Amino acid sequence: MARRQQAADRAQRPKMRSPGRWGFPRRVEREFWLRIGQGLPTAKAAEAVGVSEVIGGRWFREGGGMPPMTLAEPTGRYLSFVEREEIAILRALGHGPREIGRRIGRDASTISRELRRNAATRSTNPGYRATTAQWKSEIAAKRPKQAKLVTNPRLREYVQDRLAGNVRRPDGTPVAGPRTPPWKGLNKPRRQDRRWSTAWSPEQIAQRLRLEFPDDESMRISHEAIYQSLFIQGRGALKRELVTCLRTGRALREPRARSRNKAQGHVTATVVLSERPAEAQDRAMPGHWEGDLIIGTGRSAIGTLVERSSRSTLLVHLPRLEGWGEKPSVKNGPSLGGYGAVAMNAALTASMTALPAQLRKTLTWDRGKELAGHAQFTLETGTKVFFADPHSPWQRPTNENTNGLLRQYFPKGTDLSRWSAEDLEAVAYTLNNRPRKILGWKTPAEVFEDQLRSLHQPGVATTS
């Protein structure tokens, strides 16, 4: 009778379903995302954790560049893979839950529950095995939770309207904007029209909710949750193509450490800004310069050099090279626009060697490839070159300020190649003879002249 009852109970149970395909342990995927967070490329991160480049690329793509799991290691509350291996060995030796629990320091009920839940049941070799148990526990630990934007239609409508809503005139009339091709899962198109939308940033949306709904706690969401709904596949709240409404227009999120580690072959650890002498920072000693380019149309440019102490300005003439506009450009060939590495070195060397050696100690530049030959420049001039950090123009403040002044004479969107070296010298002369508040209303030319005079005092050696 009891057997018949058990058979009837089994017949009423729902059909057993596979928990999914056998995947890599979560510790492997967690380690992969930790390597991504350190700035490694996807292929390198996959190789470091022992999976193929295809698997690593799939993880990165499906996660939208964001880890879909917490990267913190599981606490001691949960059984580890090592403990499960111990359980499997002791179980094979015939020990019961109480004995196994005593040996590994766990409660007997924990062992009993583990053996019941995570044992292999669909195999030619049934029983408890550590790999199968670990896989089953990780599947159960996922506990997929619906995103807040899925369960709250009112909140989803608010977020979507502020992110992808229509642009409207002051009277409320919608403006269609340009016609754009359908989204193909790629980043924003280069030099092409983009979709016009309300385009609030996720942080603006999250903070504005607090102002518009101060007493409604259901109308709350973090900006990170909005980004996850956009980038991570399967969130089910916002469509992936709405990433085109973000300012960056990226289809995948770029890890911060990776953006900082972009290839900069000409910038080594010995020429970063932190290695620059301390005397250059306080502006007490002359001879430390900041440099950059101002760019015009048609790949035209002018080099700008500013001395940090006196604010004296030198403009570097960068004429186009022979053959410009006469033949098509060659990939990886010489730059004919005038500010390739070779042409830039020659022009800078000519400008800097006209100064005394004591007044050309260091030069701080941004990360532009035009100064990729800085080692040869240092060898020829004795001026040590240092590079500012990426996206940090404030580390060259004097040069940035001077470039702003120069735009009065060389506006953006104009051809700068039409000006001769004599024209540039005249503009530099004008700036250097303009009184400056920071110099006590002296001119840069007067302060620079004082510096030159101090070099010719008795006991001070000069080279020119």
Side-chain angles (χ1 to χ4, degrees), residues 92-303:
L93 294 176
H95 297 295
R98 292 183 182 277
E99 179 62 22
I100 295 174
R102 277 194 297 267
R103 294 202 180 192
I104 71 171
R106 291 284 186 172
D107 192 86
S109 62
T110 301
I111 305 301
S112 177
R113 196 162 45 243
E114 173 68 16
L115 293 172
R116 184 176 67 254
R117 289 179 177 176
N118 296 330
T121 57
R122 295 188 178 187
S123 171
T124 56
N125 182 23
Y128 184 87
R129 291 178 302 193
T131 52
T132 303
Q134 184 71 20
W135 172 55
K136 283 190 171 185
S137 68
E138 290 177 353
I139 294 294
K142 289 183 178 179
R143 297 196 185 102
K145 180 183 177 182
Q146 280 192 311
K148 193 171 184 179
L149 290 178
V150 175
T151 59
N152 191 336
R154 182 180 173 214
L155 178 61
R156 180 175 66 250
E157 182 180 356
Y158 182 94
V159 171
Q160 190 160 314
D161 183 64
R162 269 63 179 179
L163 179 68
N166 294 324
V167 173
R168 298 180 180 274
R169 295 188 176 92
D171 61 0
T173 307
V175 180
R179 299 186 63 180
T180 57
W183 187 67
K184 297 182 179 180
L186 305 177
N187 288 351
K188 65 180 180 183
R190 177 175 171 81
R191 299 184 184 276
Q192 295 182 31
D193 288 329
R194 293 183 61 187
R195 172 183 174 181
W196 283 16
S197 63
T198 312
W200 286 21
S201 73
E203 186 175 13
Q204 289 171 334
I205 296 173
Q207 297 300 325
R208 188 67 183 181
L209 280 166
R210 297 179 178 275
L211 297 181
E212 296 191 18
F213 305 95
D215 301 323
D216 190 351
E217 290 297 326
S218 67
M219 297 295 286
R220 298 284 186 276
I221 191 170
S222 69
H223 64 278
E224 189 66 17
I226 300 176
Y227 279 120
Q228 289 179 359
S229 295
L230 290 172
F231 287 118
I232 299 179
Q233 293 184 15
R235 298 292 288 185
L238 300 176
K239 295 181 179 180
R240 284 288 316 280
E241 55 263 31
L242 294 186
V243 296
T244 58
C245 300
L246 297 175
R247 180 187 59 80
T248 60
R250 293 194 190 103
L252 298 174
R253 193 180 222 181
E254 184 176 16
R256 185 174 299 174
R258 182 182 292 184
S259 66
R260 293 173 177 171
N261 292 341
K262 287 184 178 178
Q264 302 262 342
H266 63 291
V267 180
T268 61
T270 60
V271 293
V272 294
L273 189 70
S274 58
E275 299 296 319
R276 190 175 67 175
E279 68 176 37
Q281 181 64 28
D282 58 17
R283 303 177 186 268
M285 299 294 294
H288 301 283
W289 297 76
E290 296 175 6
D292 195 12
L293 296 176
I294 55 175
I295 306 296
T297 58
R299 292 194 60 79
S300 59
I302 296 173

Side-chain angles (χ1 to χ4, degrees), residues 217-432:
E217 290 297 326
S218 67
M219 297 295 286
R220 298 284 186 276
I221 191 170
S222 69
H223 64 278
E224 189 66 17
I226 300 176
Y227 279 120
Q228 289 179 359
S229 295
L230 290 172
F231 287 118
I232 299 179
Q233 293 184 15
R235 298 292 288 185
L238 300 176
K239 295 181 179 180
R240 284 288 316 280
E241 55 263 31
L242 294 186
V243 296
T244 58
C245 300
L246 297 175
R247 180 187 59 80
T248 60
R250 293 194 190 103
L252 298 174
R253 193 180 222 181
E254 184 176 16
R256 185 174 299 174
R258 182 182 292 184
S259 66
R260 293 173 177 171
N261 292 341
K262 287 184 178 178
Q264 302 262 342
H266 63 291
V267 180
T268 61
T270 60
V271 293
V272 294
L273 189 70
S274 58
E275 299 296 319
R276 190 175 67 175
E279 68 176 37
Q281 181 64 28
D282 58 17
R283 303 177 186 268
M285 299 294 294
H288 301 283
W289 297 76
E290 296 175 6
D292 195 12
L293 296 176
I294 55 175
I295 306 296
T297 58
R299 292 194 60 79
S300 59
I302 296 173
T304 64
L305 297 171
V306 187
E307 205 275 321
R308 284 176 56 83
S309 178
S310 66
R311 277 70 173 180
S312 183
T313 301
L314 293 178
L315 297 184
V316 182
H317 187 226
L318 299 171
R320 292 183 174 132
L321 303 186
E322 183 179 356
W324 166 261
E326 300 176 2
K327 51 186 179 181
S329 59
V330 179
K331 185 176 181 180
N332 297 327
S335 173
L336 304 180
Y339 57 97
V342 176
M344 195 72 202
N345 259 11
L348 278 180
T349 300
S351 297
M352 294 297 287
T353 51
L355 300 171
Q358 291 89 342
L359 291 183
R360 44 184 166 93
K361 299 175 182 177
T362 69
L363 171 63
T364 303
W365 206 266
D366 68 0
R367 298 260 171 149
K369 293 294 183 68
E370 65 273 2
L371 216 60
H374 61 88
Q376 183 64 29
F377 170 77
T378 300
L379 188 64
E380 295 176 355
T381 64
T383 304
K384 296 182 180 180
V385 178
F386 298 93
F387 293 92
D389 296 332
H391 316 297
S392 304
W394 58 86
Q395 294 177 346
R396 301 176 296 100
T398 310
N399 183 244
E400 287 293 316
N401 177 266
T402 302
N403 287 349
L405 299 177
L406 288 169
R407 283 301 185 183
Q408 179 179 354
Y409 304 94
F410 310 111
K412 294 182 179 180
T414 61
D415 184 4
L416 304 184
S417 64
R418 53 187 168 150
W419 306 115
S420 65
E422 290 75 18
D423 295 330
L424 301 187
E425 185 179 2
V427 173
Y429 178 83
T430 302
L431 283 186
N432 290 334

Side-chain angles (χ1 to χ4, degrees), residues 55-66:
I55 296 296
R58 182 187 303 156
W59 285 346
F60 189 85
R61 185 174 60 255
E62 291 180 351
M66 304 173 65

